[in-house]
Amino acid sequence: MFRRTFWFTVGAAAGVWATTKVNRKIRQLTPESLAAQAADKAIETGHRLKEFALDVREGMIRREAELGEALGLEAPVDPELPVSRSAVRAAAPVIHRSLPHNSYNRNEDH
């Protein structure tokens, strides 16, 4: 009698466990869940790419400084030499254009 009760309980528990496991997997495979997982992975990949780009930029700046020191580019500028384009751009005023505040774009969210 106790043996039957024990195995009945074990079978019921296994059935509940298997049903729960299958339902959880089915929920994970719904289109909404798959879309959310894909969006999360895309965001994570974007963050990793941004970190990589920042690391590359930092390395570029460090290497440019090393090369500038090695080549003597940090030395004072000779007044007889022509002015570099970057110096001309730095001296020029920056003009920021603004879009019209009354947009008639029908695709715009209102």
Side-chain angles (χ1 to χ4, degrees):
M1 173 92 171
F2 288 111
R3 185 179 291 172
R4 287 183 188 172
T5 307
F6 172 76
W7 287 114
F8 176 77
T9 306
V10 169
V16 168
W17 176 79
T19 304
T20 305
K21 195 93 164 153
V22 167
N23 284 335
R24 188 178 304 146
K25 189 53 98 174
I26 288 173
R27 266 188 259 118
Q28 285 179 350
L29 296 176
T30 61
E32 295 84 13
S33 178
L34 291 174
Q37 289 175 9
D40 291 342
K41 291 290 183 181
I43 290 171
E44 181 182 334
T45 302
H47 289 304
R48 286 183 180 173
L49 284 173
K50 182 178 179 181
E51 289 175 12
F52 174 72
L54 291 174
D55 289 344
V56 168
R57 186 176 184 90
E58 180 183 331
M60 279 183 359
I61 291 171
R62 188 179 313 122
R63 183 65 179 149
E64 284 180 7
E66 291 172 2
L67 290 173
E69 289 175 11
L71 297 174
L73 297 178
E74 304 298 324
V77 178
D78 185 11
E80 296 179 10
L81 294 176
V83 179
S84 68
R85 282 187 252 155
S86 61
V88 171
R89 268 188 260 133
V94 178
I95 299 172
H96 295 285
R97 297 181 185 177
S98 62
L99 297 174
H101 62 280
N102 293 334
S103 175
Y104 296 106
N105 185 355
R106 298 178 81 178
N107 295 326
E108 192 175 77
D109 292 332
H110 295 288

